[in-house]
CSV table of all heavy atoms in Angstrom, one decimal:
chain,number,residue,atom,x,y,z
A,174,MET,N,120.3,38.8,-58.4
A,174,MET,CA,119.5,38.7,-57.3
A,174,MET,C,118.9,37.3,-57.2
A,174,MET,O,118.6,36.8,-56.1
A,174,MET,CB,118.4,39.7,-57.4
A,174,MET,CG,117.6,39.9,-56.1
A,174,MET,SD,118.7,40.3,-54.7
A,174,MET,CE,117.9,41.6,-54.0
A,175,ARG,N,118.6,36.6,-58.3
A,175,ARG,CA,118.0,35.3,-58.4
A,175,ARG,C,118.9,34.3,-57.7
A,175,ARG,O,118.3,33.4,-57.0
A,175,ARG,CB,117.6,34.9,-59.8
A,175,ARG,CG,116.9,33.6,-59.9
A,175,ARG,CD,116.0,33.6,-61.1
A,175,ARG,NE,115.4,32.3,-61.2
A,175,ARG,CZ,114.1,32.1,-60.9
A,175,ARG,NH1,113.3,33.1,-60.6
A,175,ARG,NH2,113.6,30.9,-61.0
A,176,PRO,N,120.2,34.2,-57.9
A,176,PRO,CA,121.0,33.2,-57.2
A,176,PRO,C,120.9,33.3,-55.7
A,176,PRO,O,121.0,32.3,-55.0
A,176,PRO,CB,122.4,33.4,-57.7
A,176,PRO,CG,122.3,34.2,-59.0
A,176,PRO,CD,121.0,35.0,-58.9
A,177,VAL,N,120.8,34.5,-55.2
A,177,VAL,CA,120.7,34.7,-53.7
A,177,VAL,C,119.4,34.1,-53.2
A,177,VAL,O,119.3,33.4,-52.2
A,177,VAL,CB,120.8,36.2,-53.3
A,177,VAL,CG1,120.5,36.4,-51.9
A,177,VAL,CG2,122.1,36.8,-53.7
A,178,ARG,N,118.3,34.3,-53.9
A,178,ARG,CA,117.0,33.8,-53.5
A,178,ARG,C,117.0,32.3,-53.6
A,178,ARG,O,116.5,31.6,-52.7
A,178,ARG,CB,115.9,34.3,-54.4
A,178,ARG,CG,115.4,35.7,-54.1
A,178,ARG,CD,114.3,36.1,-54.9
A,178,ARG,NE,113.9,37.5,-54.7
A,178,ARG,CZ,113.0,38.1,-55.4
A,178,ARG,NH1,112.4,37.5,-56.4
A,178,ARG,NH2,112.7,39.4,-55.2
A,179,THR,N,117.6,31.7,-54.6
A,179,THR,CA,117.7,30.3,-54.8
A,179,THR,C,118.5,29.7,-53.6
A,179,THR,O,118.1,28.6,-53.1
A,179,THR,CB,118.3,29.9,-56.1
A,179,THR,OG1,117.5,30.5,-57.2
A,179,THR,CG2,118.3,28.4,-56.3
A,180,ALA,N,119.7,30.3,-53.3
A,180,ALA,CA,120.5,29.8,-52.2
A,180,ALA,C,119.8,29.9,-50.9
A,180,ALA,O,119.8,29.0,-50.1
A,180,ALA,CB,121.8,30.6,-52.2
A,181,PHE,N,119.0,31.0,-50.7
A,181,PHE,CA,118.3,31.1,-49.4
A,181,PHE,C,117.2,30.1,-49.3
A,181,PHE,O,117.0,29.5,-48.3
A,181,PHE,CB,117.7,32.6,-49.3
A,181,PHE,CG,116.9,32.8,-48.1
A,181,PHE,CD1,117.5,32.9,-46.8
A,181,PHE,CD2,115.5,32.8,-48.1
A,181,PHE,CE1,116.8,33.1,-45.7
A,181,PHE,CE2,114.8,33.0,-47.0
A,181,PHE,CZ,115.4,33.1,-45.8
A,182,ALA,N,116.5,29.9,-50.4
A,182,ALA,CA,115.4,28.9,-50.4
A,182,ALA,C,115.9,27.5,-50.2
A,182,ALA,O,115.3,26.7,-49.5
A,182,ALA,CB,114.6,29.0,-51.8
A,183,GLY,N,117.1,27.2,-50.8
A,183,GLY,CA,117.7,25.9,-50.6
A,183,GLY,C,118.2,25.7,-49.2
A,183,GLY,O,118.0,24.6,-48.6
A,184,ALA,N,118.7,26.7,-48.6
A,184,ALA,CA,119.2,26.6,-47.2
A,184,ALA,C,118.0,26.5,-46.2
A,184,ALA,O,118.0,25.7,-45.3
A,184,ALA,CB,120.0,27.9,-46.8
A,185,LEU,N,116.9,27.2,-46.5
A,185,LEU,CA,115.7,27.1,-45.7
A,185,LEU,C,115.1,25.7,-45.8
A,185,LEU,O,114.7,25.1,-44.8
A,185,LEU,CB,114.7,28.1,-46.1
A,185,LEU,CG,113.4,28.1,-45.3
A,185,LEU,CD1,113.6,28.4,-43.9
A,185,LEU,CD2,112.4,29.2,-45.9
A,186,LEU,N,115.0,25.2,-47.0
A,186,LEU,CA,114.5,23.8,-47.3
A,186,LEU,C,115.3,22.8,-46.6
A,186,LEU,O,114.8,21.9,-45.9
A,186,LEU,CB,114.4,23.6,-48.8
A,186,LEU,CG,113.8,22.2,-49.2
A,186,LEU,CD1,112.4,22.1,-48.7
A,186,LEU,CD2,113.9,22.0,-50.6
A,187,GLY,N,116.6,22.9,-46.7
A,187,GLY,CA,117.5,22.0,-46.0
A,187,GLY,C,117.4,22.0,-44.5
A,187,GLY,O,117.4,20.9,-43.9
A,188,THR,N,117.2,23.2,-44.0
A,188,THR,CA,117.0,23.3,-42.5
A,188,THR,C,115.7,22.6,-42.1
A,188,THR,O,115.7,21.9,-41.1
A,188,THR,CB,117.0,24.8,-42.1
A,188,THR,OG1,118.2,25.4,-42.5
A,188,THR,CG2,116.8,24.9,-40.6
A,189,LEU,N,114.7,22.8,-42.8
A,189,LEU,CA,113.4,22.2,-42.5
A,189,LEU,C,113.4,20.7,-42.6
A,189,LEU,O,112.8,20.0,-41.8
A,189,LEU,CB,112.3,22.8,-43.4
A,189,LEU,CG,111.9,24.3,-43.1
A,189,LEU,CD1,110.9,24.7,-44.2
A,189,LEU,CD2,111.4,24.5,-41.7
A,190,VAL,N,114.1,20.2,-43.6
A,190,VAL,CA,114.2,18.8,-43.8
A,190,VAL,C,115.0,18.1,-42.6
A,190,VAL,O,114.6,17.1,-42.1
A,190,VAL,CB,114.9,18.4,-45.2
A,190,VAL,CG1,115.2,16.9,-45.2
A,190,VAL,CG2,113.9,18.7,-46.3
A,191,LEU,N,116.1,18.8,-42.3
A,191,LEU,CA,116.9,18.2,-41.2
A,191,LEU,C,116.1,18.3,-39.8
A,191,LEU,O,116.2,17.5,-39.0
A,191,LEU,CB,118.2,19.0,-41.1
A,191,LEU,CG,119.2,18.7,-42.2
A,191,LEU,CD1,120.5,19.5,-42.1
A,191,LEU,CD2,119.5,17.2,-42.3
A,192,ALA,N,115.4,19.4,-39.6
A,192,ALA,CA,114.6,19.5,-38.4
A,192,ALA,C,113.5,18.5,-38.3
A,192,ALA,O,113.2,18.0,-37.3
A,192,ALA,CB,114.0,20.9,-38.3
A,193,GLY,N,112.9,18.2,-39.5
A,193,GLY,CA,111.9,17.1,-39.5
A,193,GLY,C,112.5,15.7,-39.2
A,193,GLY,O,111.7,14.9,-38.7
A,194,CYS,N,113.7,15.5,-39.4
A,194,CYS,CA,114.3,14.2,-39.2
A,194,CYS,C,114.9,14.1,-37.8
A,194,CYS,O,115.3,13.0,-37.4
A,194,CYS,CB,115.5,14.0,-40.2
A,194,CYS,SG,115.0,13.8,-41.9
A,195,GLY,N,114.8,15.2,-37.0
A,195,GLY,CA,115.4,15.1,-35.7
A,195,GLY,C,114.4,14.4,-34.7
A,195,GLY,O,113.3,14.2,-35.0
A,196,GLN,N,115.0,14.1,-33.5
A,196,GLN,CA,114.2,13.4,-32.5
A,196,GLN,C,113.5,14.4,-31.6
A,196,GLN,O,113.9,15.5,-31.4
A,196,GLN,CB,115.1,12.5,-31.7
A,196,GLN,CG,115.6,11.3,-32.4
A,196,GLN,CD,116.4,10.4,-31.4
A,196,GLN,OE1,116.7,10.8,-30.3
A,196,GLN,NE2,116.8,9.2,-31.9
A,197,ALA,N,112.3,14.0,-31.1
A,197,ALA,CA,111.6,14.8,-30.1
A,197,ALA,C,112.4,14.8,-28.8
A,197,ALA,O,113.3,14.0,-28.6
A,197,ALA,CB,110.2,14.3,-30.0
A,198,GLY,N,111.9,15.5,-27.9
A,198,GLY,CA,112.6,15.6,-26.5
A,198,GLY,C,112.5,14.3,-25.8
A,198,GLY,O,113.4,14.0,-25.0
A,199,THR,N,111.5,13.5,-26.0
A,199,THR,CA,111.4,12.2,-25.3
A,199,THR,C,111.6,11.1,-26.2
A,199,THR,O,111.2,11.2,-27.4
A,199,THR,CB,110.0,12.1,-24.6
A,199,THR,OG1,109.0,12.2,-25.6
A,199,THR,CG2,109.8,13.2,-23.6
A,200,THR,N,112.1,10.0,-25.8
A,200,THR,CA,112.2,8.8,-26.6
A,200,THR,C,111.4,7.7,-26.0
A,200,THR,O,111.2,7.6,-24.8
A,200,THR,CB,113.7,8.4,-26.7
A,200,THR,OG1,114.2,8.2,-25.4
A,200,THR,CG2,114.6,9.5,-27.3
A,201,ALA,N,110.9,6.9,-26.9
A,201,ALA,CA,110.1,5.7,-26.4
A,201,ALA,C,111.1,4.7,-25.9
A,201,ALA,O,112.1,4.4,-26.4
A,201,ALA,CB,109.3,5.2,-27.6
A,202,THR,N,110.7,4.0,-24.8
A,202,THR,CA,111.5,3.0,-24.2
A,202,THR,C,110.7,1.7,-24.4
A,202,THR,O,109.5,1.6,-24.2
A,202,THR,CB,111.7,3.2,-22.7
A,202,THR,OG1,110.4,3.3,-22.1
A,202,THR,CG2,112.5,4.4,-22.4
A,203,PRO,N,111.4,0.7,-25.0
A,203,PRO,CA,110.8,-0.6,-25.2
A,203,PRO,C,110.4,-1.3,-23.9
A,203,PRO,O,111.1,-1.2,-22.9
A,203,PRO,CB,111.8,-1.4,-26.0
A,203,PRO,CG,113.1,-0.8,-25.6
A,203,PRO,CD,112.8,0.7,-25.3
A,204,SER,N,109.3,-1.9,-23.9
A,204,SER,CA,108.9,-2.6,-22.7
A,204,SER,C,108.4,-4.0,-23.1
A,204,SER,O,108.0,-4.3,-24.2
A,204,SER,CB,107.7,-1.9,-22.0
A,204,SER,OG,106.6,-1.9,-22.8
A,205,SER,N,108.5,-4.9,-22.1
A,205,SER,CA,108.1,-6.3,-22.4
A,205,SER,C,106.6,-6.5,-22.2
A,205,SER,O,106.0,-7.4,-22.6
A,205,SER,CB,108.8,-7.3,-21.5
A,205,SER,OG,108.5,-7.0,-20.2
A,206,ALA,N,105.9,-5.5,-21.6
A,206,ALA,CA,104.5,-5.5,-21.3
A,206,ALA,C,103.7,-5.1,-22.6
A,206,ALA,O,104.2,-4.2,-23.3
A,206,ALA,CB,104.1,-4.6,-20.2
A,207,PRO,N,102.6,-5.6,-22.8
A,207,PRO,CA,101.8,-5.2,-24.0
A,207,PRO,C,101.3,-3.8,-23.8
A,207,PRO,O,101.2,-3.3,-22.6
A,207,PRO,CB,100.6,-6.2,-24.0
A,207,PRO,CG,100.5,-6.8,-22.7
A,207,PRO,CD,101.9,-6.7,-22.1
A,208,ALA,N,100.9,-3.1,-24.9
A,208,ALA,CA,100.5,-1.7,-24.8
A,208,ALA,C,99.2,-1.5,-24.1
A,208,ALA,O,98.9,-0.5,-23.6
A,208,ALA,CB,100.4,-1.1,-26.2
A,209,SER,N,98.4,-2.5,-24.0
A,209,SER,CA,97.1,-2.5,-23.4
A,209,SER,C,97.2,-2.4,-21.9
A,209,SER,O,98.0,-3.1,-21.3
A,209,SER,CB,96.2,-3.7,-23.8
A,209,SER,OG,95.0,-3.7,-23.0
A,210,SER,N,96.5,-1.5,-21.2
A,210,SER,CA,96.5,-1.4,-19.8
A,210,SER,C,95.6,-2.4,-19.1
A,210,SER,O,95.7,-2.6,-17.9
A,210,SER,CB,96.2,0.0,-19.4
A,210,SER,OG,94.9,0.4,-19.8
A,211,ALA,N,94.7,-2.9,-19.8
A,211,ALA,CA,93.7,-3.9,-19.3
A,211,ALA,C,94.3,-5.3,-19.3
A,211,ALA,O,94.9,-5.7,-20.3
A,211,ALA,CB,92.4,-3.9,-20.0
A,212,PRO,N,94.2,-6.0,-18.2
A,212,PRO,CA,94.8,-7.4,-18.3
A,212,PRO,C,94.0,-8.3,-19.2
A,212,PRO,O,92.7,-8.2,-19.3
A,212,PRO,CB,94.7,-7.8,-16.8
A,212,PRO,CG,93.6,-7.0,-16.2
A,212,PRO,CD,93.6,-5.7,-17.0
A,213,ALA,N,94.6,-9.1,-19.9
A,213,ALA,CA,94.0,-10.0,-20.8
A,213,ALA,C,93.3,-11.2,-20.0
A,213,ALA,O,94.0,-11.7,-19.1
A,213,ALA,CB,94.9,-10.6,-21.9
A,214,ALA,N,92.1,-11.6,-20.4
A,214,ALA,CA,91.5,-12.7,-19.7
A,214,ALA,C,92.0,-14.0,-20.3
A,214,ALA,O,92.2,-14.1,-21.5
A,214,ALA,CB,90.0,-12.6,-20.0
A,215,PRO,N,92.4,-14.9,-19.4
A,215,PRO,CA,92.8,-16.2,-19.9
A,215,PRO,C,91.7,-16.9,-20.7
A,215,PRO,O,90.5,-16.6,-20.5
A,215,PRO,CB,93.1,-17.0,-18.6
A,215,PRO,CG,93.2,-16.0,-17.5
A,215,PRO,CD,92.4,-14.8,-17.9
A,216,SER,N,92.1,-17.7,-21.7
A,216,SER,CA,91.1,-18.3,-22.5
A,216,SER,C,90.1,-19.2,-21.7
A,216,SER,O,90.5,-19.9,-20.8
A,216,SER,CB,91.7,-19.1,-23.6
A,216,SER,OG,92.5,-20.2,-23.0
A,217,GLY,N,88.8,-19.2,-22.0
A,217,GLY,CA,87.9,-20.0,-21.4
A,217,GLY,C,87.2,-19.3,-20.2
A,217,GLY,O,86.2,-19.8,-19.7
A,218,GLU,N,87.6,-18.1,-19.8
A,218,GLU,CA,87.0,-17.4,-18.7
A,218,GLU,C,86.0,-16.3,-19.2
A,218,GLU,O,86.4,-15.1,-19.2
A,218,GLU,CB,88.0,-16.8,-17.8
A,218,GLU,CG,88.8,-17.9,-17.1
A,218,GLU,CD,89.7,-17.3,-16.0
A,218,GLU,OE1,89.4,-16.1,-15.5
A,218,GLU,OE2,90.7,-17.9,-15.7
A,219,PHE,N,84.9,-16.7,-19.7
A,219,PHE,CA,83.9,-15.7,-20.2
A,219,PHE,C,82.6,-16.0,-19.5
A,219,PHE,O,82.3,-17.2,-19.1
A,219,PHE,CB,83.7,-15.9,-21.7
A,219,PHE,CG,84.8,-15.2,-22.5
A,219,PHE,CD1,85.9,-16.0,-22.8
A,219,PHE,CD2,84.8,-13.9,-22.8
A,219,PHE,CE1,87.0,-15.4,-23.5
A,219,PHE,CE2,85.9,-13.3,-23.5
A,219,PHE,CZ,87.0,-14.1,-23.8
A,220,PRO,N,81.7,-15.1,-19.2
A,220,PRO,CA,81.8,-13.7,-19.6
A,220,PRO,C,82.8,-12.9,-18.8
A,220,PRO,O,83.2,-13.3,-17.7
A,220,PRO,CB,80.4,-13.2,-19.3
A,220,PRO,CG,79.9,-14.1,-18.2
A,220,PRO,CD,80.5,-15.4,-18.4
A,221,VAL,N,83.3,-11.8,-19.4
A,221,VAL,CA,84.3,-11.0,-18.7
A,221,VAL,C,83.8,-9.5,-18.8
A,221,VAL,O,83.2,-9.1,-19.8
A,221,VAL,CB,85.7,-11.1,-19.4
A,221,VAL,CG1,85.7,-10.6,-20.8
A,221,VAL,CG2,86.7,-10.3,-18.6
A,222,THR,N,84.0,-8.8,-17.7
A,222,THR,CA,83.6,-7.4,-17.6
A,222,THR,C,84.8,-6.5,-17.6
A,222,THR,O,85.7,-6.7,-16.8
A,222,THR,CB,82.7,-7.1,-16.4
A,222,THR,OG1,81.5,-8.0,-16.4
A,222,THR,CG2,82.2,-5.7,-16.3
A,223,ILE,N,84.8,-5.5,-18.5
A,223,ILE,CA,86.0,-4.6,-18.6
A,223,ILE,C,85.5,-3.2,-18.3
A,223,ILE,O,84.4,-2.8,-18.8
A,223,ILE,CB,86.6,-4.7,-20.0
A,223,ILE,CG1,87.0,-6.1,-20.3
A,223,ILE,CG2,87.7,-3.7,-20.2
A,223,ILE,CD1,87.5,-6.4,-21.7
A,224,GLU,N,86.3,-2.4,-17.6
A,224,GLU,CA,86.0,-1.0,-17.3
A,224,GLU,C,86.5,-0.2,-18.5
A,224,GLU,O,87.7,-0.2,-18.8
A,224,GLU,CB,86.7,-0.6,-16.0
A,224,GLU,CG,86.3,0.8,-15.6
A,224,GLU,CD,84.9,1.0,-15.2
A,224,GLU,OE1,84.3,0.0,-14.7
A,224,GLU,OE2,84.3,2.1,-15.5
A,225,ALA,N,85.6,0.4,-19.3
A,225,ALA,CA,86.0,1.2,-20.4
A,225,ALA,C,85.8,2.7,-20.1
A,225,ALA,O,85.3,3.0,-19.0
A,225,ALA,CB,85.1,0.8,-21.6
A,226,GLY,N,86.1,3.6,-21.0
A,226,GLY,CA,86.0,5.0,-20.8
A,226,GLY,C,84.5,5.4,-20.6
A,226,GLY,O,84.2,6.4,-20.0
A,227,ASN,N,83.6,4.7,-21.2
A,227,ASN,CA,82.2,5.0,-21.0
A,227,ASN,C,81.4,4.2,-20.1
A,227,ASN,O,80.2,4.1,-20.1
A,227,ASN,CB,81.5,5.0,-22.4
A,227,ASN,CG,81.6,3.6,-23.0
A,227,ASN,OD1,82.3,2.8,-22.6
A,227,ASN,ND2,80.9,3.4,-24.1
A,228,GLY,N,82.1,3.4,-19.2
A,228,GLY,CA,81.5,2.5,-18.2
A,228,GLY,C,82.0,1.1,-18.4
A,228,GLY,O,83.0,0.8,-19.0
A,229,GLN,N,81.2,0.2,-17.8
A,229,GLN,CA,81.6,-1.2,-17.8
A,229,GLN,C,81.0,-1.9,-19.1
A,229,GLN,O,79.9,-1.6,-19.5
A,229,GLN,CB,81.1,-1.9,-16.6
A,229,GLN,CG,81.7,-1.5,-15.3
A,229,GLN,CD,81.3,-2.4,-14.1
A,229,GLN,OE1,80.3,-3.0,-14.2
A,229,GLN,NE2,82.1,-2.4,-13.1
A,230,VAL,N,81.8,-2.7,-19.7
A,230,VAL,CA,81.4,-3.5,-20.9
A,230,VAL,C,81.6,-5.0,-20.5
A,230,VAL,O,82.6,-5.4,-20.1
A,230,VAL,CB,82.3,-3.1,-22.1
A,230,VAL,CG1,81.9,-3.9,-23.3
A,230,VAL,CG2,82.2,-1.6,-22.4
A,231,THR,N,80.5,-5.7,-20.8
A,231,THR,CA,80.6,-7.2,-20.5
A,231,THR,C,80.6,-7.9,-21.9
A,231,THR,O,79.8,-7.7,-22.7
A,231,THR,CB,79.3,-7.6,-19.7
A,231,THR,OG1,79.3,-6.9,-18.5
A,231,THR,CG2,79.4,-9.1,-19.4
A,232,ILE,N,81.6,-8.8,-22.0
A,232,ILE,CA,81.7,-9.6,-23.2
A,232,ILE,C,81.2,-11.0,-22.8
A,232,ILE,O,81.9,-11.6,-21.9
A,232,ILE,CB,83.1,-9.6,-23.7
A,232,ILE,CG1,83.6,-8.2,-24.0
A,232,ILE,CG2,83.3,-10.5,-24.9
A,232,ILE,CD1,85.0,-8.0,-24.4
A,233,GLY,N,80.1,-11.4,-23.3
A,233,GLY,CA,79.5,-12.7,-22.9
A,233,GLY,C,80.2,-13.9,-23.3
A,233,GLY,O,80.2,-14.9,-22.5
A,234,LYS,N,80.8,-14.0,-24.5
A,234,LYS,CA,81.5,-15.2,-24.9
A,234,LYS,C,82.8,-14.8,-25.7
A,234,LYS,O,82.9,-13.6,-26.1
A,234,LYS,CB,80.6,-16.1,-25.8
A,234,LYS,CG,80.2,-15.4,-27.1
A,234,LYS,CD,79.3,-16.4,-27.9
A,234,LYS,CE,79.1,-15.7,-29.3
A,234,LYS,NZ,78.5,-16.6,-30.2
A,235,LYS,N,83.6,-15.7,-25.9
A,235,LYS,CA,84.9,-15.5,-26.6
A,235,LYS,C,84.6,-15.0,-28.0
A,235,LYS,O,83.9,-15.7,-28.8
A,235,LYS,CB,85.7,-16.7,-26.6
A,235,LYS,CG,87.1,-16.5,-27.2
A,235,LYS,CD,87.9,-17.8,-27.1
A,235,LYS,CE,89.3,-17.6,-27.7
A,235,LYS,NZ,90.1,-18.8,-27.6
A,236,PRO,N,85.2,-13.9,-28.4
A,236,PRO,CA,84.9,-13.3,-29.7
A,236,PRO,C,85.5,-14.3,-30.8
A,236,PRO,O,86.6,-14.8,-30.6
A,236,PRO,CB,85.6,-12.0,-29.8
A,236,PRO,CG,85.9,-11.6,-28.3
A,236,PRO,CD,85.9,-12.9,-27.6
A,237,GLU,N,84.8,-14.4,-31.9
A,237,GLU,CA,85.3,-15.2,-33.0
A,237,GLU,C,86.1,-14.3,-34.0
A,237,GLU,O,87.0,-14.7,-34.6
A,237,GLU,CB,84.1,-15.9,-33.7
A,237,GLU,CG,83.4,-16.9,-32.9
A,237,GLU,CD,82.2,-17.5,-33.6
A,237,GLU,OE1,82.1,-17.3,-34.9
A,237,GLU,OE2,81.4,-18.2,-33.0
A,238,ARG,N,85.6,-13.1,-34.2
A,238,ARG,CA,86.2,-12.1,-35.0
A,238,ARG,C,86.2,-10.7,-34.4
A,238,ARG,O,85.3,-10.5,-33.5
A,238,ARG,CB,85.5,-12.0,-36.4
A,238,ARG,CG,85.7,-13.2,-37.2
A,238,ARG,CD,85.0,-13.0,-38.5
A,238,ARG,NE,83.8,-13.8,-38.4
A,238,ARG,CZ,82.8,-13.7,-39.2
A,238,ARG,NH1,82.8,-12.7,-40.1
A,238,ARG,NH2,81.7,-14.4,-39.1
A,239,ILE,N,87.0,-9.8,-34.8
A,239,ILE,CA,87.0,-8.4,-34.3
A,239,ILE,C,87.0,-7.5,-35.5
A,239,ILE,O,87.4,-7.9,-36.6
A,239,ILE,CB,88.2,-8.1,-33.4
A,239,ILE,CG1,89.5,-8.2,-34.1
A,239,ILE,CG2,88.2,-9.0,-32.1
A,239,ILE,CD1,90.6,-7.5,-33.4
A,240,VAL,N,86.6,-6.3,-35.3
A,240,VAL,CA,86.7,-5.2,-36.3
A,240,VAL,C,87.6,-4.2,-35.8
A,240,VAL,O,87.5,-3.7,-34.6
A,240,VAL,CB,85.3,-4.6,-36.6
A,240,VAL,CG1,85.4,-3.4,-37.5
A,240,VAL,CG2,84.3,-5.6,-37.1
A,241,SER,N,88.7,-3.8,-36.5
A,241,SER,CA,89.6,-2.8,-36.1
A,241,SER,C,89.3,-1.5,-36.9
A,241,SER,O,89.4,-1.5,-38.1
A,241,SER,CB,91.0,-3.3,-36.4
A,241,SER,OG,91.9,-2.2,-36.1
A,242,LEU,N,89.1,-0.4,-36.2
A,242,LEU,CA,88.8,0.8,-36.9
A,242,LEU,C,90.1,1.6,-37.0
A,242,LEU,O,90.1,2.7,-37.7
A,242,LEU,CB,87.8,1.6,-36.1
A,242,LEU,CG,86.4,1.0,-35.9
A,242,LEU,CD1,85.5,1.8,-35.1
A,242,LEU,CD2,85.8,0.7,-37.3
A,243,SER,N,91.2,1.2,-36.4
A,243,SER,CA,92.5,1.8,-36.5
A,243,SER,C,93.5,0.8,-36.5
A,243,SER,O,93.8,0.1,-35.5
A,243,SER,CB,92.7,2.8,-35.3
A,243,SER,OG,94.0,3.4,-35.4
A,244,ALA,N,94.2,0.6,-37.6
A,244,ALA,CA,95.3,-0.4,-37.7
A,244,ALA,C,96.4,-0.2,-36.7
A,244,ALA,O,97.1,-1.1,-36.3
A,244,ALA,CB,95.8,-0.5,-39.1
A,245,THR,N,96.6,1.0,-36.3
A,245,THR,CA,97.7,1.3,-35.4
A,245,THR,C,97.4,1.0,-33.9
A,245,THR,O,98.2,1.0,-33.1
A,245,THR,CB,98.2,2.7,-35.5
A,245,THR,OG1,97.1,3.6,-35.2
A,245,THR,CG2,98.8,3.0,-36.9
A,246,HIS,N,96.1,0.8,-33.6
A,246,HIS,CA,95.7,0.5,-32.2
A,246,HIS,C,95.2,-0.9,-32.1
A,246,HIS,O,94.5,-1.2,-31.1
A,246,HIS,CB,94.6,1.5,-31.8
A,246,HIS,CG,95.1,2.9,-31.6
A,246,HIS,ND1,95.0,3.9,-32.5
A,246,HIS,CD2,95.8,3.4,-30.5
A,246,HIS,CE1,95.6,5.0,-32.1
A,246,HIS,NE2,96.0,4.7,-30.9
A,247,THR,N,95.4,-1.7,-33.0
A,247,THR,CA,94.9,-3.1,-32.9
A,247,THR,C,96.0,-4.0,-32.2
A,247,THR,O,97.1,-4.0,-32.5
A,247,THR,CB,94.6,-3.7,-34.3
A,247,THR,OG1,93.7,-2.8,-34.9
A,247,THR,CG2,94.0,-5.0,-34.2
């Protein structure tokens, strides 16, 4: 009985591994546009006001540094 369980477990594991490697229903299409939907301000044009999810945000001067809380969204 043990060889049957081992074979079944191996087949199940193989199926799960192959399913995990498959593609989703949609595929990403490469684009030449940046991922950001907000247009970038040309250098030297500050202050700039940006419409954010929580209202308008005004950036008074050109940032010297930024803090990224998510490396995948930077």
Side-chain angles (χ1 to χ4, degrees):
M174 192 58 132
R175 183 150 177 110
V177 173
R178 284 185 184 172
T179 304
F181 179 73
L185 180 62
L186 180 63
T188 302
L189 291 175
V190 168
L191 290 177
C194 294
Q196 291 184 348
T199 60
T200 58
T202 56
S204 66
S205 59
S209 173
S210 61
S216 62
E218 292 189 24
F219 285 91
V221 64
T222 301
I223 300 171
E224 185 67 33
N227 58 348
Q229 291 185 343
V230 177
T231 302
I232 302 173
K234 63 178 187 171
K235 185 176 180 179
E237 294 177 15
R238 290 181 257 162
I239 65 165
V240 175
S241 175
L242 299 178
S243 175
T245 60
H246 288 98
T247 302

